[in-house]
Amino acid sequence: MSGDGLLGAELPPPVAEPRLLALRLQGFKSFAERTTIEFGRGISAVVGPNGSGKSNLADALRWALGEQGRALRSRKAEDVIWAGSEKRAAQGMADVTLVIDNADGILPVEFQVLELGRRLYRSGENDYLLNKSRVRLRDLVDLLDAAHLADNAFLFIGQGMVDQALALRPEERRPLFDEVAGVRRHERRRRHAEEQLTESEANLARVEDILAELRPQARRLAAQAEQQASREATADELASALLASMHARWFDAAARVASAAQVRDHARAAVDRLIAELGVVEGTAASLASELAARTALERERREAHDAAQASATEARLREARLLSEAEALERERRRAVDERSAAEAELANARRGLATPIPARDLDLEAALAEAERDLADATTELAGLRSATQAHGQALAAVRRAAATRQAEIDTARRLLADVERRVAEVREQAASVAERRDRLDAEVAAARTAFEASLEAERATAREHEAARQQASLANAARTAADERLAGAGARLATARARLAALEARLAEDETRGIARAARRLGGHRLDEDLVVAPELRAAVEAALAEAARAYVVDAEAVSSLTAERGSLVVAERAATVAGPEDASERRFRERLSAAGGGVLDSAVRRDSGGAARRLLARCAWLPDLAACIAIQPALPPGWLVVPRDGSAAVSDLCVRLGAADSLLERRAEAERMTGEVARLEGEYARYAEDAAEALSGATSAAARVEAARVEESRASGARRAAEDAERLAGRQLEAVVRESAWHDAQTERLAAELE
């Protein structure tokens, strides 16, 4: 397309089918409605007055092919969307589609007809379409670049471009021919590939740095994982051992509990039996006491009765004696009466015999005497019957008295036996009370000793507990110190590993240059690297790198050795030319140096601190530096032929015609970084060794502290066992003393009761 009213493109001969078949627009700039433009064979022209939108068609073609710059004559992306008018509202989207014939496969896709489209929304979303399928801009550019349609400055020829091309100088026409011949495309690809390679190298270096930083962490994490696995295995083994130990201890404790339960049951049964026996004995003692009291009362009553019976027996004896004397008197009286009766009967017989004789005359005196004798005989018979009954009653009373005396004698014997039994029991109770008192005294001493031992064991347990707590705190501090030392050691190891990795990466990258073919060949011929013994001021190191560029990797060889190195790839510096002294400065160079000094810059050969061969000084003799790129661009018109100026940060290199952007691969920085990293590695190795010693000391301290904690724990366990044993002994002695005190009290009560009974 050419001119404001003519649109053209590079097309095949008129007889061939058109490559561009149609152009569809909607909402793009002045094309508010959907517009389709079809292209036939030959040349297609769009004719119209100024302002009719002919240039918008060219902008639509550029825009659909991915144009992003100022060629679209818009300040921002949304300016290409129809902004609206008085009669038509604004559009929310701009859409342009190119229909291209791809029958000959100029574009590497399998479609015969391609529709390349682009849509832009007011929200900022931008879509690229290939046959109505969304693709990336990068994919679209790669596809168009295969047909030499991407980034082609001469794809759209505007008004005045032919005159400009014809007016170019021979050296300025080369980019035009390169573009037409397709060389620029390959240069763009090469530049793109180099950029990707540089980016890949940077990413690789970054990945190597990340790997170098992560390797120590990975090793540390692997070590920690191994430690964790060993801890878990140890924990499992410890848990299994603890479970087995707990099972054994549980079964042992269960057996002890069962035996203790049996012993307790037996003891409880024995205690119950003894309590029952004690109750029976106490009941028996109570019954005996009550019986003894009753017998004492009975004995007292019987003694009183005995005394009364003895008094009555004495009285009865007196009466018996009196009655005996009376009975004897009565017997004498009876015998006398019997005699008198016999005499009377004899007299009566004599009298009857005398009566048998004739009765004499009555003798009144004799009859009176006989009647009186008969009365006396009747009285004597009556008195004799009374005496006989009194004698019989007295015999009965005497038998009763004798029986009462026998009963009292039996009671006295029983009371004497009971008294002897009580005295024996009193003696036994007193002996038992004395034995109990001795046992009580002995148990008092044992309880006091057990209490003293318990207090001593309790104090010892408290002391061992304090020692254990102090040892545990020391162990905690030692473990904290060991953990801190391990963390410092791990940090130092990580830093050391990172520094070693960076140093190894730098040395590897520096050694890469030594493995090149030209490096080995040049060194066989006696050559050396240009920067091998080069020392530059640190503040201008980047500028020197940018000025030297590939020459920094060049090898200095003799002139006759150059022909031997034609099979290699790389840069060479002829030693004879490097040793040649530069010619005198001309006026333009002096003016340039003055202007350079006025701009705050200088010549880079003054930044060289050491250069044994002088090749670097010779190369930098016509290289200058300025503070920034803007100053370099400003001074570019005044550059003498063969001079080069670079900004201080080394981000570009400006010659009289070209500007080379991008910082060069900093070999000098790499060497300086390698030297610095060597010192850093040495420092970190010393720090790591020091931290390793601290970690070893902390580990030793933690181990000894753990040993002290274990010893303190064992001592505390022993003291706790001793305290429990002393407590059990004190409790047992207390129970025994309590039982003896109860037994002593019971014996005292028994002694008092028996003493009362004895009294």
Side-chain angles (χ1 to χ4, degrees), residues 110-140:
E110 297 178 356
F111 299 104
Q112 297 293 326
V113 178
L114 287 180
E115 292 185 1
L116 302 179
R118 182 177 180 182
R119 290 177 183 173
L120 176 65
Y121 298 91
R122 287 196 181 274
S123 60
E125 298 178 3
N126 203 355
D127 294 337
Y128 295 91
L129 305 174
L130 175 61
N131 283 2
K132 299 182 181 179
S133 298
R134 295 179 62 181
V135 295
R136 298 181 304 171
L137 175 61
R138 188 60 171 259
D139 300 332
L140 179 62

PDB file of all heavy atoms in Angstrom, residues 110-140:
ATOM      1  N   GLU A 110      -1.878 -26.625   8.248  1.00  0.00           N
ATOM      2  CA  GLU A 110      -2.533 -27.546   7.325  1.00  0.00           C
ATOM      3  C   GLU A 110      -3.823 -26.984   6.745  1.00  0.00           C
ATOM      4  O   GLU A 110      -4.613 -27.740   6.179  1.00  0.00           O
ATOM      5  CB  GLU A 110      -2.832 -28.861   8.056  1.00  0.00           C
ATOM      6  CG  GLU A 110      -1.584 -29.585   8.537  1.00  0.00           C
ATOM      7  CD  GLU A 110      -1.925 -30.851   9.280  1.00  0.00           C
ATOM      8  OE1 GLU A 110      -3.138 -31.104   9.483  1.00  0.00           O
ATOM      9  OE2 GLU A 110      -0.995 -31.577   9.665  1.00  0.00           O
ATOM     10  N   PHE A 111      -4.063 -25.702   6.874  1.00  0.00           N
ATOM     11  CA  PHE A 111      -5.287 -25.100   6.351  1.00  0.00           C
ATOM     12  C   PHE A 111      -5.018 -24.508   4.971  1.00  0.00           C
ATOM     13  O   PHE A 111      -3.962 -23.879   4.746  1.00  0.00           O
ATOM     14  CB  PHE A 111      -5.802 -24.015   7.300  1.00  0.00           C
ATOM     15  CG  PHE A 111      -6.135 -24.536   8.679  1.00  0.00           C
ATOM     16  CD1 PHE A 111      -5.284 -24.300   9.745  1.00  0.00           C
ATOM     17  CD2 PHE A 111      -7.291 -25.274   8.882  1.00  0.00           C
ATOM     18  CE1 PHE A 111      -5.578 -24.774  10.997  1.00  0.00           C
ATOM     19  CE2 PHE A 111      -7.595 -25.745  10.150  1.00  0.00           C
ATOM     20  CZ  PHE A 111      -6.741 -25.510  11.203  1.00  0.00           C
ATOM     21  N   GLN A 112      -5.994 -24.671   4.047  1.00  0.00           N
ATOM     22  CA  GLN A 112      -5.871 -24.089   2.709  1.00  0.00           C
ATOM     23  C   GLN A 112      -6.159 -22.598   2.743  1.00  0.00           C
ATOM     24  O   GLN A 112      -5.555 -21.823   2.001  1.00  0.00           O
ATOM     25  CB  GLN A 112      -6.862 -24.785   1.748  1.00  0.00           C
ATOM     26  CG  GLN A 112      -6.601 -26.268   1.553  1.00  0.00           C
ATOM     27  CD  GLN A 112      -5.299 -26.535   0.816  1.00  0.00           C
ATOM     28  OE1 GLN A 112      -4.906 -25.756  -0.061  1.00  0.00           O
ATOM     29  NE2 GLN A 112      -4.636 -27.631   1.178  1.00  0.00           N
ATOM     30  N   VAL A 113      -7.076 -22.202   3.610  1.00  0.00           N
ATOM     31  CA  VAL A 113      -7.435 -20.795   3.761  1.00  0.00           C
ATOM     32  C   VAL A 113      -7.316 -20.456   5.242  1.00  0.00           C
ATOM     33  O   VAL A 113      -7.866 -21.161   6.095  1.00  0.00           O
ATOM     34  CB  VAL A 113      -8.865 -20.513   3.256  1.00  0.00           C
ATOM     35  CG1 VAL A 113      -9.222 -19.044   3.488  1.00  0.00           C
ATOM     36  CG2 VAL A 113      -8.986 -20.856   1.776  1.00  0.00           C
ATOM     37  N   LEU A 114      -6.588 -19.373   5.489  1.00  0.00           N
ATOM     38  CA  LEU A 114      -6.372 -18.949   6.865  1.00  0.00           C
ATOM     39  C   LEU A 114      -7.128 -17.663   7.137  1.00  0.00           C
ATOM     40  O   LEU A 114      -7.166 -16.762   6.288  1.00  0.00           O
ATOM     41  CB  LEU A 114      -4.886 -18.712   7.138  1.00  0.00           C
ATOM     42  CG  LEU A 114      -3.986 -19.947   7.238  1.00  0.00           C
ATOM     43  CD1 LEU A 114      -2.563 -19.508   7.516  1.00  0.00           C
ATOM     44  CD2 LEU A 114      -4.459 -20.852   8.349  1.00  0.00           C
ATOM     45  N   GLU A 115      -7.693 -17.593   8.336  1.00  0.00           N
ATOM     46  CA  GLU A 115      -8.325 -16.362   8.801  1.00  0.00           C
ATOM     47  C   GLU A 115      -7.571 -15.911  10.048  1.00  0.00           C
ATOM     48  O   GLU A 115      -7.666 -16.538  11.108  1.00  0.00           O
ATOM     49  CB  GLU A 115      -9.804 -16.586   9.129  1.00  0.00           C
ATOM     50  CG  GLU A 115     -10.655 -16.871   7.909  1.00  0.00           C
ATOM     51  CD  GLU A 115     -12.134 -16.955   8.256  1.00  0.00           C
ATOM     52  OE1 GLU A 115     -12.464 -16.767   9.455  1.00  0.00           O
ATOM     53  OE2 GLU A 115     -12.953 -17.201   7.363  1.00  0.00           O
ATOM     54  N   LEU A 116      -6.793 -14.839   9.868  1.00  0.00           N
ATOM     55  CA  LEU A 116      -6.041 -14.269  10.978  1.00  0.00           C
ATOM     56  C   LEU A 116      -6.814 -13.071  11.502  1.00  0.00           C
ATOM     57  O   LEU A 116      -7.045 -12.110  10.752  1.00  0.00           O
ATOM     58  CB  LEU A 116      -4.639 -13.850  10.526  1.00  0.00           C
ATOM     59  CG  LEU A 116      -3.763 -14.954   9.933  1.00  0.00           C
ATOM     60  CD1 LEU A 116      -2.411 -14.379   9.501  1.00  0.00           C
ATOM     61  CD2 LEU A 116      -3.554 -16.063  10.943  1.00  0.00           C
ATOM     62  N   GLY A 117      -7.228 -13.138  12.776  1.00  0.00           N
ATOM     63  CA  GLY A 117      -8.036 -12.068  13.338  1.00  0.00           C
ATOM     64  C   GLY A 117      -7.485 -11.560  14.653  1.00  0.00           C
ATOM     65  O   GLY A 117      -6.697 -12.226  15.333  1.00  0.00           O
ATOM     66  N   ARG A 118      -7.912 -10.337  14.974  1.00  0.00           N
ATOM     67  CA  ARG A 118      -7.514  -9.716  16.243  1.00  0.00           C
ATOM     68  C   ARG A 118      -8.701  -8.940  16.775  1.00  0.00           C
ATOM     69  O   ARG A 118      -9.367  -8.209  16.033  1.00  0.00           O
ATOM     70  CB  ARG A 118      -6.318  -8.795  16.046  1.00  0.00           C
ATOM     71  CG  ARG A 118      -5.820  -8.161  17.337  1.00  0.00           C
ATOM     72  CD  ARG A 118      -4.598  -7.318  17.081  1.00  0.00           C
ATOM     73  NE  ARG A 118      -4.098  -6.702  18.309  1.00  0.00           N
ATOM     74  CZ  ARG A 118      -3.047  -5.875  18.364  1.00  0.00           C
ATOM     75  NH1 ARG A 118      -2.382  -5.585  17.239  1.00  0.00           N
ATOM     76  NH2 ARG A 118      -2.665  -5.360  19.509  1.00  0.00           N
ATOM     77  N   ARG A 119      -8.957  -9.077  18.089  1.00  0.00           N
ATOM     78  CA  ARG A 119     -10.063  -8.377  18.739  1.00  0.00           C
ATOM     79  C   ARG A 119      -9.525  -7.656  19.960  1.00  0.00           C
ATOM     80  O   ARG A 119      -8.697  -8.193  20.691  1.00  0.00           O
ATOM     81  CB  ARG A 119     -11.160  -9.357  19.177  1.00  0.00           C
ATOM     82  CG  ARG A 119     -11.924  -9.972  18.019  1.00  0.00           C
ATOM     83  CD  ARG A 119     -12.930 -10.980  18.534  1.00  0.00           C
ATOM     84  NE  ARG A 119     -13.637 -11.640  17.449  1.00  0.00           N
ATOM     85  CZ  ARG A 119     -14.467 -12.661  17.606  1.00  0.00           C
ATOM     86  NH1 ARG A 119     -14.687 -13.143  18.834  1.00  0.00           N
ATOM     87  NH2 ARG A 119     -15.065 -13.212  16.578  1.00  0.00           N
ATOM     88  N   LEU A 120     -10.035  -6.461  20.144  1.00  0.00           N
ATOM     89  CA  LEU A 120      -9.669  -5.658  21.304  1.00  0.00           C
ATOM     90  C   LEU A 120     -10.947  -5.132  21.938  1.00  0.00           C
ATOM     91  O   LEU A 120     -11.779  -4.528  21.261  1.00  0.00           O
ATOM     92  CB  LEU A 120      -8.750  -4.497  20.900  1.00  0.00           C
ATOM     93  CG  LEU A 120      -8.375  -3.537  22.028  1.00  0.00           C
ATOM     94  CD1 LEU A 120      -7.533  -4.249  23.075  1.00  0.00           C
ATOM     95  CD2 LEU A 120      -7.617  -2.329  21.486  1.00  0.00           C
ATOM     96  N   TYR A 121     -11.084  -5.341  23.250  1.00  0.00           N
ATOM     97  CA  TYR A 121     -12.249  -4.874  23.998  1.00  0.00           C
ATOM     98  C   TYR A 121     -11.845  -3.649  24.812  1.00  0.00           C
ATOM     99  O   TYR A 121     -10.665  -3.446  25.141  1.00  0.00           O
ATOM    100  CB  TYR A 121     -12.759  -5.977  24.924  1.00  0.00           C
ATOM    101  CG  TYR A 121     -13.218  -7.220  24.187  1.00  0.00           C
ATOM    102  CD1 TYR A 121     -12.323  -8.253  23.950  1.00  0.00           C
ATOM    103  CD2 TYR A 121     -14.529  -7.351  23.732  1.00  0.00           C
ATOM    104  CE1 TYR A 121     -12.716  -9.398  23.280  1.00  0.00           C
ATOM    105  CE2 TYR A 121     -14.928  -8.502  23.069  1.00  0.00           C
ATOM    106  CZ  TYR A 121     -14.021  -9.519  22.833  1.00  0.00           C
ATOM    107  OH  TYR A 121     -14.412 -10.647  22.166  1.00  0.00           O
ATOM    108  N   ARG A 122     -12.850  -2.852  25.124  1.00  0.00           N
ATOM    109  CA  ARG A 122     -12.561  -1.649  25.904  1.00  0.00           C
ATOM    110  C   ARG A 122     -12.083  -1.990  27.318  1.00  0.00           C
ATOM    111  O   ARG A 122     -11.456  -1.157  27.983  1.00  0.00           O
ATOM    112  CB  ARG A 122     -13.810  -0.765  25.988  1.00  0.00           C
ATOM    113  CG  ARG A 122     -14.125  -0.058  24.692  1.00  0.00           C
ATOM    114  CD  ARG A 122     -15.105   1.075  24.890  1.00  0.00           C
ATOM    115  NE  ARG A 122     -15.410   1.720  23.632  1.00  0.00           N
ATOM    116  CZ  ARG A 122     -14.695   2.694  23.087  1.00  0.00           C
ATOM    117  NH1 ARG A 122     -13.605   3.119  23.729  1.00  0.00           N
ATOM    118  NH2 ARG A 122     -15.044   3.218  21.943  1.00  0.00           N
ATOM    119  N   SER A 123     -12.382  -3.179  27.769  1.00  0.00           N
ATOM    120  CA  SER A 123     -11.894  -3.592  29.087  1.00  0.00           C
ATOM    121  C   SER A 123     -10.397  -3.894  29.089  1.00  0.00           C
ATOM    122  O   SER A 123      -9.816  -4.116  30.149  1.00  0.00           O
ATOM    123  CB  SER A 123     -12.669  -4.828  29.556  1.00  0.00           C
ATOM    124  OG  SER A 123     -12.486  -5.898  28.653  1.00  0.00           O
ATOM    125  N   GLY A 124      -9.775  -3.895  27.870  1.00  0.00           N
ATOM    126  CA  GLY A 124      -8.342  -4.145  27.784  1.00  0.00           C
ATOM    127  C   GLY A 124      -7.997  -5.541  27.329  1.00  0.00           C
ATOM    128  O   GLY A 124      -6.815  -5.844  27.101  1.00  0.00           O
ATOM    129  N   GLU A 125      -8.964  -6.441  27.194  1.00  0.00           N
ATOM    130  CA  GLU A 125      -8.690  -7.797  26.746  1.00  0.00           C
ATOM    131  C   GLU A 125      -8.368  -7.792  25.257  1.00  0.00           C
ATOM    132  O   GLU A 125      -9.034  -7.142  24.458  1.00  0.00           O
ATOM    133  CB  GLU A 125      -9.888  -8.701  27.025  1.00  0.00           C
ATOM    134  CG  GLU A 125     -10.226  -8.819  28.502  1.00  0.00           C
ATOM    135  CD  GLU A 125     -11.445  -9.683  28.730  1.00  0.00           C
ATOM    136  OE1 GLU A 125     -11.969 -10.215  27.735  1.00  0.00           O
ATOM    137  OE2 GLU A 125     -11.867  -9.811  29.893  1.00  0.00           O
ATOM    138  N   ASN A 126      -7.340  -8.541  24.885  1.00  0.00           N
ATOM    139  CA  ASN A 126      -6.850  -8.580  23.508  1.00  0.00           C
ATOM    140  C   ASN A 126      -6.777 -10.037  23.086  1.00  0.00           C
ATOM    141  O   ASN A 126      -6.095 -10.837  23.731  1.00  0.00           O
ATOM    142  CB  ASN A 126      -5.468  -7.934  23.436  1.00  0.00           C
ATOM    143  CG  ASN A 126      -5.150  -7.438  22.035  1.00  0.00           C
ATOM    144  OD1 ASN A 126      -5.922  -7.656  21.113  1.00  0.00           O
ATOM    145  ND2 ASN A 126      -4.011  -6.805  21.888  1.00  0.00           N
ATOM    146  N   ASP A 127      -7.476 -10.406  22.002  1.00  0.00           N
ATOM    147  CA  ASP A 127      -7.518 -11.785  21.524  1.00  0.00           C
ATOM    148  C   ASP A 127      -6.952 -11.853  20.120  1.00  0.00           C
ATOM    149  O   ASP A 127      -7.215 -10.975  19.273  1.00  0.00           O
ATOM    150  CB  ASP A 127      -8.959 -12.322  21.512  1.00  0.00           C
ATOM    151  CG  ASP A 127      -9.538 -12.437  22.908  1.00  0.00           C
ATOM    152  OD1 ASP A 127      -8.726 -12.534  23.857  1.00  0.00           O
ATOM    153  OD2 ASP A 127     -10.767 -12.420  23.055  1.00  0.00           O
ATOM    154  N   TYR A 128      -6.153 -12.902  19.878  1.00  0.00           N
ATOM    155  CA  TYR A 128      -5.642 -13.201  18.537  1.00  0.00           C
ATOM    156  C   TYR A 128      -6.262 -14.519  18.105  1.00  0.00           C
ATOM    157  O   TYR A 128      -6.265 -15.496  18.873  1.00  0.00           O
ATOM    158  CB  TYR A 128      -4.112 -13.304  18.545  1.00  0.00           C
ATOM    159  CG  TYR A 128      -3.432 -11.990  18.881  1.00  0.00           C
ATOM    160  CD1 TYR A 128      -3.121 -11.674  20.190  1.00  0.00           C
ATOM    161  CD2 TYR A 128      -3.133 -11.078  17.885  1.00  0.00           C
ATOM    162  CE1 TYR A 128      -2.511 -10.471  20.513  1.00  0.00           C
ATOM    163  CE2 TYR A 128      -2.512  -9.869  18.188  1.00  0.00           C
ATOM    164  CZ  TYR A 128      -2.208  -9.569  19.506  1.00  0.00           C
ATOM    165  OH  TYR A 128      -1.610  -8.378  19.800  1.00  0.00           O
ATOM    166  N   LEU A 129      -6.801 -14.532  16.858  1.00  0.00           N
ATOM    167  CA  LEU A 129      -7.576 -15.670  16.382  1.00  0.00           C
ATOM    168  C   LEU A 129      -6.921 -16.254  15.147  1.00  0.00           C
ATOM    169  O   LEU A 129      -6.443 -15.520  14.259  1.00  0.00           O
ATOM    170  CB  LEU A 129      -9.016 -15.263  16.063  1.00  0.00           C
ATOM    171  CG  LEU A 129      -9.790 -14.571  17.202  1.00  0.00           C
ATOM    172  CD1 LEU A 129     -11.147 -14.098  16.714  1.00  0.00           C
ATOM    173  CD2 LEU A 129      -9.958 -15.528  18.370  1.00  0.00           C
ATOM    174  N   LEU A 130      -6.880 -17.578  15.098  1.00  0.00           N
ATOM    175  CA  LEU A 130      -6.436 -18.311  13.920  1.00  0.00           C
ATOM    176  C   LEU A 130      -7.553 -19.271  13.559  1.00  0.00           C
ATOM    177  O   LEU A 130      -7.790 -20.243  14.276  1.00  0.00           O
ATOM    178  CB  LEU A 130      -5.136 -19.068  14.212  1.00  0.00           C
ATOM    179  CG  LEU A 130      -4.619 -19.967  13.090  1.00  0.00           C
ATOM    180  CD1 LEU A 130      -4.306 -19.146  11.841  1.00  0.00           C
ATOM    181  CD2 LEU A 130      -3.383 -20.737  13.535  1.00  0.00           C
ATOM    182  N   ASN A 131      -8.249 -18.937  12.440  1.00  0.00           N
ATOM    183  CA  ASN A 131      -9.441 -19.699  12.048  1.00  0.00           C
ATOM    184  C   ASN A 131     -10.413 -19.784  13.222  1.00  0.00           C
ATOM    185  O   ASN A 131     -10.898 -20.851  13.603  1.00  0.00           O
ATOM    186  CB  ASN A 131      -9.066 -21.089  11.560  1.00  0.00           C
ATOM    187  CG  ASN A 131      -8.502 -21.061  10.145  1.00  0.00           C
ATOM    188  OD1 ASN A 131      -8.353 -19.999   9.533  1.00  0.00           O
ATOM    189  ND2 ASN A 131      -8.165 -22.223   9.614  1.00  0.00           N
ATOM    190  N   LYS A 132     -10.629 -18.611  13.849  1.00  0.00           N
ATOM    191  CA  LYS A 132     -11.583 -18.423  14.939  1.00  0.00           C
ATOM    192  C   LYS A 132     -11.200 -19.173  16.224  1.00  0.00           C
ATOM    193  O   LYS A 132     -12.037 -19.345  17.099  1.00  0.00           O
ATOM    194  CB  LYS A 132     -12.995 -18.849  14.500  1.00  0.00           C
ATOM    195  CG  LYS A 132     -13.528 -18.040  13.326  1.00  0.00           C
ATOM    196  CD  LYS A 132     -14.931 -18.459  12.949  1.00  0.00           C
ATOM    197  CE  LYS A 132     -15.443 -17.654  11.749  1.00  0.00           C
ATOM    198  NZ  LYS A 132     -16.796 -18.055  11.353  1.00  0.00           N
ATOM    199  N   SER A 133      -9.949 -19.594  16.321  1.00  0.00           N
ATOM    200  CA  SER A 133      -9.431 -20.217  17.542  1.00  0.00           C
ATOM    201  C   SER A 133      -8.410 -19.277  18.164  1.00  0.00           C
ATOM    202  O   SER A 133      -7.573 -18.693  17.447  1.00  0.00           O
ATOM    203  CB  SER A 133      -8.762 -21.571  17.232  1.00  0.00           C
ATOM    204  OG  SER A 133      -9.704 -22.470  16.695  1.00  0.00           O
ATOM    205  N   ARG A 134      -8.491 -19.123  19.483  1.00  0.00           N
ATOM    206  CA  ARG A 134      -7.592 -18.194  20.167  1.00  0.00           C
ATOM    207  C   ARG A 134      -6.177 -18.754  20.200  1.00  0.00           C
ATOM    208  O   ARG A 134      -5.946 -19.927  20.487  1.00  0.00           O
ATOM    209  CB  ARG A 134      -8.076 -17.950  21.594  1.00  0.00           C
ATOM    210  CG  ARG A 134      -9.413 -17.261  21.667  1.00  0.00           C
ATOM    211  CD  ARG A 134      -9.854 -17.055  23.099  1.00  0.00           C
ATOM    212  NE  ARG A 134      -8.916 -16.204  23.809  1.00  0.00           N
ATOM    213  CZ  ARG A 134      -9.045 -15.871  25.092  1.00  0.00           C
ATOM    214  NH1 ARG A 134     -10.072 -16.349  25.786  1.00  0.00           N
ATOM    215  NH2 ARG A 134      -8.147 -15.101  25.665  1.00  0.00           N
ATOM    216  N   VAL A 135      -5.210 -17.872  19.878  1.00  0.00           N
ATOM    217  CA  VAL A 135      -3.790 -18.229  19.920  1.00  0.00           C
ATOM    218  C   VAL A 135      -3.054 -17.111  20.645  1.00  0.00           C
ATOM    219  O   VAL A 135      -3.588 -16.023  20.876  1.00  0.00           O
ATOM    220  CB  VAL A 135      -3.205 -18.437  18.506  1.00  0.00           C
ATOM    221  CG1 VAL A 135      -3.845 -19.619  17.819  1.00  0.00           C
ATOM    222  CG2 VAL A 135      -3.359 -17.175  17.666  1.00  0.00           C
ATOM    223  N   ARG A 136      -1.769 -17.394  20.959  1.00  0.00           N
ATOM    224  CA  ARG A 136      -0.942 -16.374  21.592  1.00  0.00           C
ATOM    225  C   ARG A 136      -0.309 -15.496  20.526  1.00  0.00           C
ATOM    226  O   ARG A 136      -0.137 -15.901  19.369  1.00  0.00           O
ATOM    227  CB  ARG A 136       0.156 -17.015  22.431  1.00  0.00           C
ATOM    228  CG  ARG A 136      -0.325 -17.856  23.577  1.00  0.00           C
ATOM    229  CD  ARG A 136       0.857 -18.405  24.350  1.00  0.00           C
ATOM    230  NE  ARG A 136       1.752 -19.151  23.468  1.00  0.00           N
ATOM    231  CZ  ARG A 136       2.948 -19.608  23.827  1.00  0.00           C
ATOM    232  NH1 ARG A 136       3.397 -19.377  25.052  1.00  0.00           N
ATOM    233  NH2 ARG A 136       3.700 -20.290  22.973  1.00  0.00           N
ATOM    234  N   LEU A 137       0.055 -14.280  20.928  1.00  0.00           N
ATOM    235  CA  LEU A 137       0.748 -13.375  20.007  1.00  0.00           C
ATOM    236  C   LEU A 137       2.073 -13.984  19.574  1.00  0.00           C
ATOM    237  O   LEU A 137       2.480 -13.852  18.407  1.00  0.00           O
ATOM    238  CB  LEU A 137       0.966 -12.019  20.697  1.00  0.00           C
ATOM    239  CG  LEU A 137       1.790 -10.995  19.898  1.00  0.00           C
ATOM    240  CD1 LEU A 137       1.105 -10.660  18.572  1.00  0.00           C
ATOM    241  CD2 LEU A 137       1.988  -9.717  20.718  1.00  0.00           C
ATOM    242  N   ARG A 138       2.763 -14.668  20.491  1.00  0.00           N
ATOM    243  CA  ARG A 138       4.037 -15.291  20.149  1.00  0.00           C
ATOM    244  C   ARG A 138       3.845 -16.348  19.072  1.00  0.00           C
ATOM    245  O   ARG A 138       4.643 -16.438  18.115  1.00  0.00           O
ATOM    246  CB  ARG A 138       4.643 -15.897  21.413  1.00  0.00           C
ATOM    247  CG  ARG A 138       6.051 -16.431  21.282  1.00  0.00           C
ATOM    248  CD  ARG A 138       6.990 -15.325  20.861  1.00  0.00           C
ATOM    249  NE  ARG A 138       8.366 -15.755  20.937  1.00  0.00           N
ATOM    250  CZ  ARG A 138       9.184 -15.447  21.932  1.00  0.00           C
ATOM    251  NH1 ARG A 138       8.746 -14.692  22.922  1.00  0.00           N
ATOM    252  NH2 ARG A 138      10.428 -15.855  21.934  1.00  0.00           N
ATOM    253  N   ASP A 139       2.773 -17.137  19.197  1.00  0.00           N
ATOM    254  CA  ASP A 139       2.501 -18.147  18.170  1.00  0.00           C
ATOM    255  C   ASP A 139       2.182 -17.496  16.828  1.00  0.00           C
ATOM    256  O   ASP A 139       2.632 -17.971  15.767  1.00  0.00           O
ATOM    257  CB  ASP A 139       1.339 -19.033  18.612  1.00  0.00           C
ATOM    258  CG  ASP A 139       1.649 -19.756  19.916  1.00  0.00           C
ATOM    259  OD1 ASP A 139       2.847 -19.994  20.170  1.00  0.00           O
ATOM    260  OD2 ASP A 139       0.712 -20.072  20.669  1.00  0.00           O
ATOM    261  N   LEU A 140       1.429 -16.392  16.860  1.00  0.00           N
ATOM    262  CA  LEU A 140       1.093 -15.690  15.623  1.00  0.00           C
ATOM    263  C   LEU A 140       2.340 -15.106  14.970  1.00  0.00           C
ATOM    264  O   LEU A 140       2.530 -15.201  13.743  1.00  0.00           O
ATOM    265  CB  LEU A 140       0.074 -14.582  15.922  1.00  0.00           C
ATOM    266  CG  LEU A 140      -0.378 -13.734  14.728  1.00  0.00           C
ATOM    267  CD1 LEU A 140      -1.074 -14.604  13.682  1.00  0.00           C
ATOM    268  CD2 LEU A 140      -1.307 -12.615  15.184  1.00  0.00           C
TER     269      LEU A 140
END
